[in-house]
Amino acid sequence: MFKTLFNSKLIVLIFIPIVSLISCDGRDRKYMNNTEILQENNLLNKFSEQVEFVPNSPVAINTDTILSNGFNVKINYRSIENNAFYKVTKKEKDSIIKMNYKNFEAHIEVFKDDTPINQSTINKLLFSEFENASFWNQAIMQYVWVDHNKSSDDVLYLNTSFNIPETETFKDFIVAIDKKGTIRIEQKPTC
């Protein structure tokens, strides 16, 4: 009986110092601020990074334009959800903002006198020969619209523009589609 009592006291006496030694973990952190603790564990970058998407929700704009010259144009302009590039900006107190800019494309259907003559996609790849790769890696399509004034009975003119976000760098293009459906692209001169 005394032996079991002695064994249980011994277990308790060993258990108490073990518990007290384990509970001392973190005393040195008591006087550290949150930034120092995160730096110690290499987690500061995760908490100081802010990720934003532009646009933050999917964009889809559908237009159906009928011209008096017999052309009918259907444009489906939309953001591409899994196709974005990001720009990193460092702010105060070492916080980082990662802006993800989604690319856009336009699916067009062109009819002349109710006969389909062209179905195509307008995106950055179509214009790659007009500018260097570094521009296209950073640029996004701004819009696509029908140039009513320039369009004639034989040719439909569309305009599009590309911009590098947060800059004043723009490239404007004219997309001409003739009545047979052939596409011709030219860059608008900059002013």
Side-chain angles (χ1 to χ4, degrees):
M1 169 150 164
F2 289 114
K3 194 172 196 179
T4 58
L5 183 61
F6 177 75
N7 284 341
S8 59
K9 284 183 182 182
L10 183 62
I11 291 174
V12 170
L13 286 175
I14 293 174
F15 182 71
I16 290 174
I18 290 174
V19 169
S20 63
L21 286 175
I22 291 174
S23 66
C24 291
D25 186 34
R27 282 190 187 173
D28 57 330
R29 290 187 179 187
K30 180 178 181 180
Y31 300 106
M32 295 172 73
N33 63 27
N34 291 339
T35 304
E36 292 169 339
I37 293 169
L38 290 172
Q39 280 176 334
E40 181 181 284
N41 294 311
N42 296 325
L43 294 172
L44 183 62
N45 291 341
K46 299 279 187 209
F47 286 96
S48 63
E49 184 176 281
Q50 180 181 355
V51 178
E52 294 183 18
F53 288 88
V54 178
N56 58 4
S57 59
V59 171
I61 301 170
N62 294 312
T63 58
D64 190 356
T65 306
I66 301 172
L67 301 174
S68 60
N69 59 11
F71 281 104
N72 178 5
V73 184
K74 296 180 181 186
I75 302 173
N76 177 4
Y77 176 78
R78 63 184 180 87
S79 59
I80 307 170
E81 292 307 306
N82 296 325
N83 187 342
F85 72 93
Y86 67 91
K87 201 173 212 179
V88 177
T89 308
K90 200 165 196 173
K91 296 291 184 180
E92 58 206 38
K93 294 186 179 180
D94 293 331
S95 65
I96 296 172
I97 297 179
K98 196 182 274 189
M99 298 293 291
N100 287 287
Y101 293 96
K102 295 179 186 174
N103 283 305
F104 289 82
E105 67 183 9
H107 296 284
I108 62 168
E109 293 180 66
V110 181
F111 300 86
K112 176 68 173 168
D113 299 323
D114 296 326
T115 304
I117 59 170
N118 187 299
Q119 287 188 357
S120 47
T121 300
I122 297 176
N123 58 24
K124 293 192 297 188
L125 296 175
L126 192 61
F127 302 91
S128 61
E129 67 187 55
F130 291 98
E131 194 58 51
N132 59 31
S134 66
F135 174 80
W136 294 117
N137 290 337
Q138 301 174 53
I140 59 172
M141 184 189 299
Q142 296 293 298
Y143 44 78
V144 176
W145 80 97
V146 178
D147 190 343
H148 300 278
N149 296 329
K150 196 172 181 182
S151 295
S152 66
D153 289 339
D154 297 326
V155 182
L156 171 73
Y157 289 96
L158 304 173
N159 292 316
T160 186
S161 179
F162 294 89
N163 169 250
I164 296 176
E166 301 175 21
T167 70
E168 295 297 319
T169 306
F170 287 89
K171 299 290 179 192
D172 297 325
F173 296 93
I174 300 169
V175 179
I177 303 173
D178 66 17
K179 62 184 178 182
K180 295 179 183 176
T182 306
I183 294 179
R184 191 181 81 249
I185 300 172
E186 63 183 71
Q187 185 172 358
K188 278 188 180 180
T190 55
C191 299

